[in-house]
PDB file of all heavy atoms in Angstrom:
ATOM      1  N   GLU A 163     127.025  59.763  67.324  1.00  0.00           N
ATOM      2  CA  GLU A 163     125.696  59.342  66.890  1.00  0.00           C
ATOM      3  C   GLU A 163     125.735  58.824  65.442  1.00  0.00           C
ATOM      4  O   GLU A 163     126.426  59.402  64.580  1.00  0.00           O
ATOM      5  CB  GLU A 163     124.721  60.490  66.985  1.00  0.00           C
ATOM      6  CG  GLU A 163     123.310  60.146  66.495  1.00  0.00           C
ATOM      7  CD  GLU A 163     122.288  61.211  66.826  1.00  0.00           C
ATOM      8  OE1 GLU A 163     122.303  61.733  67.948  1.00  0.00           O
ATOM      9  OE2 GLU A 163     121.470  61.486  65.927  1.00  0.00           O
ATOM     10  N   THR A 194     120.116  56.162  65.707  1.00  0.00           N
ATOM     11  CA  THR A 194     118.775  56.757  65.508  1.00  0.00           C
ATOM     12  C   THR A 194     117.739  55.681  65.170  1.00  0.00           C
ATOM     13  O   THR A 194     118.040  54.551  64.798  1.00  0.00           O
ATOM     14  CB  THR A 194     118.761  57.806  64.350  1.00  0.00           C
ATOM     15  OG1 THR A 194     119.068  57.104  63.142  1.00  0.00           O
ATOM     16  CG2 THR A 194     119.773  58.918  64.597  1.00  0.00           C
ATOM     17  N   TYR A 195     116.482  56.107  65.321  1.00  0.00           N
ATOM     18  CA  TYR A 195     115.357  55.217  65.046  1.00  0.00           C
ATOM     19  C   TYR A 195     114.343  56.042  64.252  1.00  0.00           C
ATOM     20  O   TYR A 195     113.897  57.099  64.723  1.00  0.00           O
ATOM     21  CB  TYR A 195     114.747  54.792  66.366  1.00  0.00           C
ATOM     22  CG  TYR A 195     113.580  53.820  66.274  1.00  0.00           C
ATOM     23  CD1 TYR A 195     113.810  52.487  65.973  1.00  0.00           C
ATOM     24  CD2 TYR A 195     112.292  54.248  66.553  1.00  0.00           C
ATOM     25  CE1 TYR A 195     112.746  51.609  65.920  1.00  0.00           C
ATOM     26  CE2 TYR A 195     111.227  53.338  66.485  1.00  0.00           C
ATOM     27  CZ  TYR A 195     111.478  52.022  66.168  1.00  0.00           C
ATOM     28  OH  TYR A 195     110.437  51.134  66.132  1.00  0.00           O
ATOM     29  N   GLY A 196     114.044  55.611  63.043  1.00  0.00           N
ATOM     30  CA  GLY A 196     113.173  56.434  62.180  1.00  0.00           C
ATOM     31  C   GLY A 196     111.767  56.473  62.703  1.00  0.00           C
ATOM     32  O   GLY A 196     111.192  55.445  63.053  1.00  0.00           O
ATOM     33  N   ALA A 197     111.194  57.693  62.744  1.00  0.00           N
ATOM     34  CA  ALA A 197     109.795  57.804  63.172  1.00  0.00           C
ATOM     35  C   ALA A 197     108.867  57.344  62.066  1.00  0.00           C
ATOM     36  O   ALA A 197     107.720  56.967  62.327  1.00  0.00           O
ATOM     37  CB  ALA A 197     109.510  59.238  63.575  1.00  0.00           C
ATOM     38  N   HIS A 222     118.081  55.085  70.131  1.00  0.00           N
ATOM     39  CA  HIS A 222     117.042  56.121  70.151  1.00  0.00           C
ATOM     40  C   HIS A 222     115.735  55.356  69.984  1.00  0.00           C
ATOM     41  O   HIS A 222     115.710  54.358  69.269  1.00  0.00           O
ATOM     42  CB  HIS A 222     117.200  57.096  69.024  1.00  0.00           C
ATOM     43  CG  HIS A 222     118.475  57.876  69.024  1.00  0.00           C
ATOM     44  ND1 HIS A 222     118.624  59.075  68.329  1.00  0.00           N
ATOM     45  CD2 HIS A 222     119.681  57.677  69.628  1.00  0.00           C
ATOM     46  CE1 HIS A 222     119.807  59.548  68.525  1.00  0.00           C
ATOM     47  NE2 HIS A 222     120.484  58.721  69.264  1.00  0.00           N
ATOM     48  N   THR A 224     111.675  56.392  69.118  1.00  0.00           N
ATOM     49  CA  THR A 224     110.574  57.354  68.930  1.00  0.00           C
ATOM     50  C   THR A 224     109.262  56.623  69.214  1.00  0.00           C
ATOM     51  O   THR A 224     109.058  55.523  68.644  1.00  0.00           O
ATOM     52  CB  THR A 224     110.575  57.946  67.514  1.00  0.00           C
ATOM     53  OG1 THR A 224     110.532  56.857  66.574  1.00  0.00           O
ATOM     54  CG2 THR A 224     111.805  58.770  67.237  1.00  0.00           C
ATOM     55  N   LEU A 249     117.603  56.819  74.542  1.00  0.00           N
ATOM     56  CA  LEU A 249     117.236  58.192  74.230  1.00  0.00           C
ATOM     57  C   LEU A 249     115.742  58.158  73.910  1.00  0.00           C
ATOM     58  O   LEU A 249     115.333  57.606  72.865  1.00  0.00           O
ATOM     59  CB  LEU A 249     118.077  58.762  73.076  1.00  0.00           C
ATOM     60  CG  LEU A 249     117.876  60.283  72.936  1.00  0.00           C
ATOM     61  CD1 LEU A 249     118.503  61.039  74.119  1.00  0.00           C
ATOM     62  CD2 LEU A 249     118.502  60.803  71.632  1.00  0.00           C
ATOM     63  N   ALA A 250     114.925  58.736  74.775  1.00  0.00           N
ATOM     64  CA  ALA A 250     113.454  58.637  74.651  1.00  0.00           C
ATOM     65  C   ALA A 250     112.940  59.843  73.883  1.00  0.00           C
ATOM     66  O   ALA A 250     113.073  60.972  74.325  1.00  0.00           O
ATOM     67  CB  ALA A 250     112.837  58.591  76.060  1.00  0.00           C
ATOM     68  N   LEU A 251     112.322  59.557  72.753  1.00  0.00           N
ATOM     69  CA  LEU A 251     111.808  60.613  71.865  1.00  0.00           C
ATOM     70  C   LEU A 251     110.382  60.390  71.517  1.00  0.00           C
ATOM     71  O   LEU A 251     109.907  59.245  71.526  1.00  0.00           O
ATOM     72  CB  LEU A 251     112.629  60.602  70.554  1.00  0.00           C
ATOM     73  CG  LEU A 251     114.130  60.788  70.710  1.00  0.00           C
ATOM     74  CD1 LEU A 251     114.875  59.954  69.697  1.00  0.00           C
ATOM     75  CD2 LEU A 251     114.519  62.237  70.558  1.00  0.00           C
ATOM     76  N   HIS A 252     109.696  61.480  71.173  1.00  0.00           N
ATOM     77  CA  HIS A 252     108.373  61.337  70.553  1.00  0.00           C
ATOM     78  C   HIS A 252     108.595  61.159  69.066  1.00  0.00           C
ATOM     79  O   HIS A 252     108.119  60.198  68.463  1.00  0.00           O
ATOM     80  CB  HIS A 252     107.502  62.563  70.835  1.00  0.00           C
ATOM     81  CG  HIS A 252     106.151  62.452  70.232  1.00  0.00           C
ATOM     82  ND1 HIS A 252     105.824  63.095  69.052  1.00  0.00           N
ATOM     83  CD2 HIS A 252     105.055  61.759  70.606  1.00  0.00           C
ATOM     84  CE1 HIS A 252     104.546  62.784  68.741  1.00  0.00           C
ATOM     85  NE2 HIS A 252     104.102  61.982  69.649  1.00  0.00           N
ATOM     86  N   GLY A 253     109.344  62.064  68.467  1.00  0.00           N
ATOM     87  CA  GLY A 253     109.626  61.973  67.039  1.00  0.00           C
ATOM     88  C   GLY A 253     108.574  62.685  66.232  1.00  0.00           C
ATOM     89  O   GLY A 253     107.473  62.907  66.693  1.00  0.00           O
ATOM     90  N   ASP A 254     108.980  63.070  65.022  1.00  0.00           N
ATOM     91  CA  ASP A 254     108.037  63.761  64.092  1.00  0.00           C
ATOM     92  C   ASP A 254     107.885  62.840  62.871  1.00  0.00           C
ATOM     93  O   ASP A 254     108.866  62.413  62.299  1.00  0.00           O
ATOM     94  CB  ASP A 254     108.617  65.080  63.603  1.00  0.00           C
ATOM     95  CG  ASP A 254     109.041  65.944  64.776  1.00  0.00           C
ATOM     96  OD1 ASP A 254     108.228  66.102  65.711  1.00  0.00           O
ATOM     97  OD2 ASP A 254     110.181  66.452  64.773  1.00  0.00           O
ATOM     98  N   THR A 268     101.794  60.881  73.240  1.00  0.00           N
ATOM     99  CA  THR A 268     101.767  62.225  72.673  1.00  0.00           C
ATOM    100  C   THR A 268     103.059  63.006  72.879  1.00  0.00           C
ATOM    101  O   THR A 268     103.321  63.971  72.179  1.00  0.00           O
ATOM    102  CB  THR A 268     100.584  63.079  73.214  1.00  0.00           C
ATOM    103  OG1 THR A 268     100.650  63.024  74.635  1.00  0.00           O
ATOM    104  CG2 THR A 268      99.263  62.580  72.720  1.00  0.00           C
ATOM    105  N   ARG A 269     103.860  62.562  73.837  1.00  0.00           N
ATOM    106  CA  ARG A 269     105.135  63.288  74.114  1.00  0.00           C
ATOM    107  C   ARG A 269     106.221  62.325  74.549  1.00  0.00           C
ATOM    108  O   ARG A 269     105.937  61.218  75.055  1.00  0.00           O
ATOM    109  CB  ARG A 269     104.884  64.318  75.238  1.00  0.00           C
ATOM    110  CG  ARG A 269     104.032  65.475  74.765  1.00  0.00           C
ATOM    111  CD  ARG A 269     103.623  66.345  75.919  1.00  0.00           C
ATOM    112  NE  ARG A 269     104.783  66.906  76.609  1.00  0.00           N
ATOM    113  CZ  ARG A 269     104.768  68.026  77.282  1.00  0.00           C
ATOM    114  NH1 ARG A 269     103.674  68.716  77.395  1.00  0.00           N
ATOM    115  NH2 ARG A 269     105.850  68.434  77.907  1.00  0.00           N
ATOM    116  N   ALA A 270     107.470  62.808  74.441  1.00  0.00           N
ATOM    117  CA  ALA A 270     108.592  61.975  74.868  1.00  0.00           C
ATOM    118  C   ALA A 270     108.510  61.641  76.342  1.00  0.00           C
ATOM    119  O   ALA A 270     108.903  60.525  76.732  1.00  0.00           O
ATOM    120  CB  ALA A 270     109.902  62.730  74.576  1.00  0.00           C
ATOM    121  N   VAL A 271     107.945  62.520  77.157  1.00  0.00           N
ATOM    122  CA  VAL A 271     107.865  62.228  78.603  1.00  0.00           C
ATOM    123  C   VAL A 271     106.972  61.000  78.871  1.00  0.00           C
ATOM    124  O   VAL A 271     107.177  60.318  79.863  1.00  0.00           O
ATOM    125  CB  VAL A 271     107.379  63.444  79.449  1.00  0.00           C
ATOM    126  CG1 VAL A 271     108.498  64.477  79.608  1.00  0.00           C
ATOM    127  CG2 VAL A 271     106.146  64.021  78.891  1.00  0.00           C
ATOM    128  N   ALA A 288     115.771  64.695  74.111  1.00  0.00           N
ATOM    129  CA  ALA A 288     116.306  65.655  73.153  1.00  0.00           C
ATOM    130  C   ALA A 288     116.082  67.087  73.658  1.00  0.00           C
ATOM    131  O   ALA A 288     115.058  67.398  74.227  1.00  0.00           O
ATOM    132  CB  ALA A 288     115.571  65.477  71.826  1.00  0.00           C
ATOM    133  N   ALA A 289     117.092  67.942  73.383  1.00  0.00           N
ATOM    134  CA  ALA A 289     116.952  69.376  73.748  1.00  0.00           C
ATOM    135  C   ALA A 289     117.254  70.240  72.517  1.00  0.00           C
ATOM    136  O   ALA A 289     118.044  69.840  71.684  1.00  0.00           O
ATOM    137  CB  ALA A 289     117.919  69.699  74.888  1.00  0.00           C
ATOM    138  N   HIS A 290     116.596  71.375  72.481  1.00  0.00           N
ATOM    139  CA  HIS A 290     116.710  72.260  71.342  1.00  0.00           C
ATOM    140  C   HIS A 290     117.152  73.648  71.851  1.00  0.00           C
ATOM    141  O   HIS A 290     116.283  74.464  72.223  1.00  0.00           O
ATOM    142  CB  HIS A 290     115.392  72.362  70.604  1.00  0.00           C
ATOM    143  CG  HIS A 290     114.891  71.005  70.135  1.00  0.00           C
ATOM    144  ND1 HIS A 290     115.077  70.545  68.868  1.00  0.00           N
ATOM    145  CD2 HIS A 290     114.285  70.016  70.854  1.00  0.00           C
ATOM    146  CE1 HIS A 290     114.602  69.317  68.773  1.00  0.00           C
ATOM    147  NE2 HIS A 290     114.114  68.949  69.958  1.00  0.00           N
ATOM    148  N   HIS A 294     112.382  74.968  70.065  1.00  0.00           N
ATOM    149  CA  HIS A 294     111.810  74.014  69.087  1.00  0.00           C
ATOM    150  C   HIS A 294     110.920  74.814  68.107  1.00  0.00           C
ATOM    151  O   HIS A 294     110.125  75.652  68.536  1.00  0.00           O
ATOM    152  CB  HIS A 294     110.964  72.951  69.831  1.00  0.00           C
ATOM    153  CG  HIS A 294     110.586  71.826  68.993  1.00  0.00           C
ATOM    154  ND1 HIS A 294     109.560  71.867  68.089  1.00  0.00           N
ATOM    155  CD2 HIS A 294     111.121  70.595  68.840  1.00  0.00           C
ATOM    156  CE1 HIS A 294     109.420  70.711  67.452  1.00  0.00           C
ATOM    157  NE2 HIS A 294     110.372  69.926  67.894  1.00  0.00           N
ATOM    158  N   LYS A 296     108.248  74.170  66.717  1.00  0.00           N
ATOM    159  CA  LYS A 296     106.775  74.042  66.911  1.00  0.00           C
ATOM    160  C   LYS A 296     106.299  74.730  68.192  1.00  0.00           C
ATOM    161  O   LYS A 296     105.091  74.757  68.432  1.00  0.00           O
ATOM    162  CB  LYS A 296     106.389  72.575  66.955  1.00  0.00           C
ATOM    163  CG  LYS A 296     106.619  71.830  65.639  1.00  0.00           C
ATOM    164  CD  LYS A 296     105.334  71.160  65.136  1.00  0.00           C
ATOM    165  CE  LYS A 296     105.490  70.623  63.716  1.00  0.00           C
ATOM    166  NZ  LYS A 296     105.940  69.254  63.717  1.00  0.00           N
ATOM    167  N   ALA A 297     107.210  75.247  68.980  1.00  0.00           N
ATOM    168  CA  ALA A 297     106.751  75.941  70.212  1.00  0.00           C
ATOM    169  C   ALA A 297     105.970  77.174  69.883  1.00  0.00           C
ATOM    170  O   ALA A 297     106.332  77.922  68.954  1.00  0.00           O
ATOM    171  CB  ALA A 297     107.993  76.296  71.067  1.00  0.00           C
ATOM    172  N   ASP A 302     106.441  78.915  76.275  1.00  0.00           N
ATOM    173  CA  ASP A 302     105.930  77.557  76.061  1.00  0.00           C
ATOM    174  C   ASP A 302     107.116  76.603  75.782  1.00  0.00           C
ATOM    175  O   ASP A 302     107.150  75.467  76.317  1.00  0.00           O
ATOM    176  CB  ASP A 302     105.031  77.612  74.802  1.00  0.00           C
ATOM    177  CG  ASP A 302     104.566  76.234  74.349  1.00  0.00           C
ATOM    178  OD1 ASP A 302     104.224  75.427  75.216  1.00  0.00           O
ATOM    179  OD2 ASP A 302     104.504  76.006  73.121  1.00  0.00           O
ATOM    180  N   ASP A 303     108.122  77.088  75.051  1.00  0.00           N
ATOM    181  CA  ASP A 303     109.293  76.276  74.743  1.00  0.00           C
ATOM    182  C   ASP A 303     110.060  75.927  76.045  1.00  0.00           C
ATOM    183  O   ASP A 303     110.441  74.767  76.255  1.00  0.00           O
ATOM    184  CB  ASP A 303     110.196  77.091  73.792  1.00  0.00           C
ATOM    185  CG  ASP A 303     111.350  76.235  73.285  1.00  0.00           C
ATOM    186  OD1 ASP A 303     111.078  75.166  72.683  1.00  0.00           O
ATOM    187  OD2 ASP A 303     112.499  76.614  73.523  1.00  0.00           O
ATOM    188  N   HIS A 306     108.035  73.419  78.120  1.00  0.00           N
ATOM    189  CA  HIS A 306     108.113  72.086  77.493  1.00  0.00           C
ATOM    190  C   HIS A 306     109.438  71.428  77.817  1.00  0.00           C
ATOM    191  O   HIS A 306     109.528  70.288  78.239  1.00  0.00           O
ATOM    192  CB  HIS A 306     107.924  72.226  75.984  1.00  0.00           C
ATOM    193  CG  HIS A 306     107.835  70.918  75.263  1.00  0.00           C
ATOM    194  ND1 HIS A 306     106.658  70.362  74.832  1.00  0.00           N
ATOM    195  CD2 HIS A 306     108.817  70.048  74.875  1.00  0.00           C
ATOM    196  CE1 HIS A 306     106.878  69.236  74.235  1.00  0.00           C
ATOM    197  NE2 HIS A 306     108.192  68.991  74.247  1.00  0.00           N
ATOM    198  N   HIS A 307     110.553  72.186  77.602  1.00  0.00           N
ATOM    199  CA  HIS A 307     111.890  71.633  77.856  1.00  0.00           C
ATOM    200  C   HIS A 307     112.074  71.332  79.360  1.00  0.00           C
ATOM    201  O   HIS A 307     112.671  70.331  79.698  1.00  0.00           O
ATOM    202  CB  HIS A 307     112.971  72.600  77.376  1.00  0.00           C
ATOM    203  CG  HIS A 307     113.297  72.425  75.926  1.00  0.00           C
ATOM    204  ND1 HIS A 307     113.007  73.340  74.968  1.00  0.00           N
ATOM    205  CD2 HIS A 307     113.943  71.417  75.293  1.00  0.00           C
ATOM    206  CE1 HIS A 307     113.409  72.906  73.782  1.00  0.00           C
ATOM    207  NE2 HIS A 307     114.010  71.754  73.968  1.00  0.00           N
ATOM    208  N   LYS A 310     110.405  68.132  80.269  1.00  0.00           N
ATOM    209  CA  LYS A 310     111.053  66.966  79.652  1.00  0.00           C
ATOM    210  C   LYS A 310     112.382  66.670  80.333  1.00  0.00           C
ATOM    211  O   LYS A 310     112.674  65.532  80.678  1.00  0.00           O
ATOM    212  CB  LYS A 310     111.219  67.244  78.150  1.00  0.00           C
ATOM    213  CG  LYS A 310     111.665  66.069  77.342  1.00  0.00           C
ATOM    214  CD  LYS A 310     111.415  66.239  75.826  1.00  0.00           C
ATOM    215  CE  LYS A 310     112.165  67.315  75.168  1.00  0.00           C
ATOM    216  NZ  LYS A 310     112.160  67.211  73.694  1.00  0.00           N
ATOM    217  N   ILE A 318     120.464  65.439  75.310  1.00  0.00           N
ATOM    218  CA  ILE A 318     121.419  65.676  74.224  1.00  0.00           C
ATOM    219  C   ILE A 318     120.808  66.725  73.308  1.00  0.00           C
ATOM    220  O   ILE A 318     119.620  66.623  72.972  1.00  0.00           O
ATOM    221  CB  ILE A 318     121.721  64.394  73.420  1.00  0.00           C
ATOM    222  CG1 ILE A 318     122.224  63.264  74.350  1.00  0.00           C
ATOM    223  CG2 ILE A 318     122.744  64.691  72.326  1.00  0.00           C
ATOM    224  CD1 ILE A 318     122.572  61.962  73.636  1.00  0.00           C
ATOM    225  N   THR A 319     121.603  67.700  72.923  1.00  0.00           N
ATOM    226  CA  THR A 319     121.029  68.787  72.127  1.00  0.00           C
ATOM    227  C   THR A 319     121.002  68.467  70.639  1.00  0.00           C
ATOM    228  O   THR A 319     121.784  67.696  70.119  1.00  0.00           O
ATOM    229  CB  THR A 319     121.798  70.096  72.255  1.00  0.00           C
ATOM    230  OG1 THR A 319     123.035  69.995  71.529  1.00  0.00           O
ATOM    231  CG2 THR A 319     122.037  70.467  73.712  1.00  0.00           C
ATOM    232  N   GLN A 320     120.093  69.150  69.980  1.00  0.00           N
ATOM    233  CA  GLN A 320     120.124  69.265  68.525  1.00  0.00           C
ATOM    234  C   GLN A 320     121.427  69.973  68.167  1.00  0.00           C
ATOM    235  O   GLN A 320     121.992  70.657  69.004  1.00  0.00           O
ATOM    236  CB  GLN A 320     118.891  70.107  68.107  1.00  0.00           C
ATOM    237  CG  GLN A 320     118.649  70.196  66.628  1.00  0.00           C
ATOM    238  CD  GLN A 320     118.548  68.792  66.029  1.00  0.00           C
ATOM    239  OE1 GLN A 320     119.589  68.226  65.640  1.00  0.00           O
ATOM    240  NE2 GLN A 320     117.354  68.269  65.931  1.00  0.00           N
ATOM    241  N   TYR A 412     127.643  64.254  65.859  1.00  0.00           N
ATOM    242  CA  TYR A 412     126.788  63.664  64.810  1.00  0.00           C
ATOM    243  C   TYR A 412     127.717  63.244  63.676  1.00  0.00           C
ATOM    244  O   TYR A 412     128.324  64.129  63.005  1.00  0.00           O
ATOM    245  CB  TYR A 412     125.783  64.733  64.287  1.00  0.00           C
ATOM    246  CG  TYR A 412     124.707  65.059  65.301  1.00  0.00           C
ATOM    247  CD1 TYR A 412     124.814  66.165  66.148  1.00  0.00           C
ATOM    248  CD2 TYR A 412     123.578  64.277  65.393  1.00  0.00           C
ATOM    249  CE1 TYR A 412     123.821  66.458  67.062  1.00  0.00           C
ATOM    250  CE2 TYR A 412     122.561  64.572  66.325  1.00  0.00           C
ATOM    251  CZ  TYR A 412     122.716  65.673  67.140  1.00  0.00           C
ATOM    252  OH  TYR A 412     121.699  65.962  68.040  1.00  0.00           O
TER     253      TYR A 412
HETATM  254  P1  FAD B  82     108.608  66.000  72.517  1.00  0.00           P
HETATM  255  O1  FAD B  82     109.520  67.060  73.045  1.00  0.00           O
HETATM  256  O2  FAD B  82     107.779  65.274  73.510  1.00  0.00           O
HETATM  257  O3  FAD B  82     107.698  66.648  71.439  1.00  0.00           O
HETATM  258  C1  FAD B  82     106.459  66.111  71.050  1.00  0.00           C
HETATM  259  C2  FAD B  82     105.857  67.074  70.073  1.00  0.00           C
HETATM  260  O4  FAD B  82     105.637  68.349  70.719  1.00  0.00           O
HETATM  261  C3  FAD B  82     106.790  67.356  68.913  1.00  0.00           C
HETATM  262  O5  FAD B  82     106.524  66.509  67.838  1.00  0.00           O
HETATM  263  C4  FAD B  82     106.487  68.833  68.585  1.00  0.00           C
HETATM  264  O6  FAD B  82     105.352  68.884  67.758  1.00  0.00           O
HETATM  265  C5  FAD B  82     106.114  69.416  69.920  1.00  0.00           C
HETATM  266  N1  FAD B  82     107.281  70.033  70.614  1.00  0.00           N
HETATM  267  C6  FAD B  82     108.551  69.547  70.696  1.00  0.00           C
HETATM  268  N2  FAD B  82     109.326  70.355  71.441  1.00  0.00           N
HETATM  269  C7  FAD B  82     108.564  71.387  71.787  1.00  0.00           C
HETATM  270  C8  FAD B  82     108.777  72.553  72.536  1.00  0.00           C
HETATM  271  N3  FAD B  82     110.010  72.843  73.045  1.00  0.00           N
HETATM  272  N4  FAD B  82     107.774  73.398  72.749  1.00  0.00           N
HETATM  273  C9  FAD B  82     106.552  73.127  72.268  1.00  0.00           C
HETATM  274  N5  FAD B  82     106.246  72.013  71.509  1.00  0.00           N
HETATM  275  C10 FAD B  82     107.228  71.161  71.276  1.00  0.00           C
HETATM  276  N6  FAD B  82     113.888  61.952  65.458  1.00  0.00           N
HETATM  277  C11 FAD B  82     113.708  60.679  64.949  1.00  0.00           C
HETATM  278  O7  FAD B  82     112.729  60.469  64.247  1.00  0.00           O
HETATM  279  N7  FAD B  82     114.596  59.644  65.261  1.00  0.00           N
HETATM  280  C12 FAD B  82     115.659  59.841  66.049  1.00  0.00           C
HETATM  281  O8  FAD B  82     116.414  58.898  66.321  1.00  0.00           O
HETATM  282  C13 FAD B  82     115.895  61.140  66.578  1.00  0.00           C
HETATM  283  N8  FAD B  82     116.956  61.402  67.371  1.00  0.00           N
HETATM  284  C14 FAD B  82     117.172  62.659  67.910  1.00  0.00           C
HETATM  285  C15 FAD B  82     118.278  62.844  68.729  1.00  0.00           C
HETATM  286  C16 FAD B  82     118.520  64.128  69.255  1.00  0.00           C
HETATM  287  C17 FAD B  82     119.709  64.338  70.147  1.00  0.00           C
HETATM  288  C18 FAD B  82     117.648  65.200  68.961  1.00  0.00           C
HETATM  289  C19 FAD B  82     117.873  66.556  69.518  1.00  0.00           C
HETATM  290  C20 FAD B  82     116.533  64.999  68.137  1.00  0.00           C
HETATM  291  C21 FAD B  82     116.260  63.703  67.613  1.00  0.00           C
HETATM  292  N9  FAD B  82     115.166  63.448  66.773  1.00  0.00           N
HETATM  293  C22 FAD B  82     114.949  62.199  66.277  1.00  0.00           C
HETATM  294  C23 FAD B  82     114.227  64.547  66.440  1.00  0.00           C
HETATM  295  C24 FAD B  82     113.186  64.766  67.555  1.00  0.00           C
HETATM  296  O9  FAD B  82     112.349  63.675  67.791  1.00  0.00           O
HETATM  297  C25 FAD B  82     112.380  66.035  67.175  1.00  0.00           C
HETATM  298  O10 FAD B  82     113.267  67.112  67.196  1.00  0.00           O
HETATM  299  C26 FAD B  82     111.195  66.294  68.018  1.00  0.00           C
HETATM  300  O11 FAD B  82     110.384  67.311  67.439  1.00  0.00           O
HETATM  301  C27 FAD B  82     111.583  66.774  69.405  1.00  0.00           C
HETATM  302  O12 FAD B  82     110.693  66.296  70.252  1.00  0.00           O
HETATM  303  P2  FAD B  82     110.856  64.919  71.094  1.00  0.00           P
HETATM  304  O13 FAD B  82     110.988  63.783  70.167  1.00  0.00           O
HETATM  305  O14 FAD B  82     111.836  65.076  72.192  1.00  0.00           O
HETATM  306  O15 FAD B  82     109.386  64.890  71.698  1.00  0.00           O
END
Side-chain angles (χ1 to χ4, degrees):
E163 178 169 317
T194 65
Y195 183 75
H222 297 200
T224 54
L249 191 69
L251 302 144
H252 180 259
D254 306 312
T268 51
R269 288 170 60 154
V271 284
H290 302 263
H294 191 281
K296 294 236 171 91
D302 173 40
D303 187 58
H306 185 101
H307 273 111
K310 189 162 64 165
I318 304 181
T319 73
Q320 188 53 273
Y412 289 96

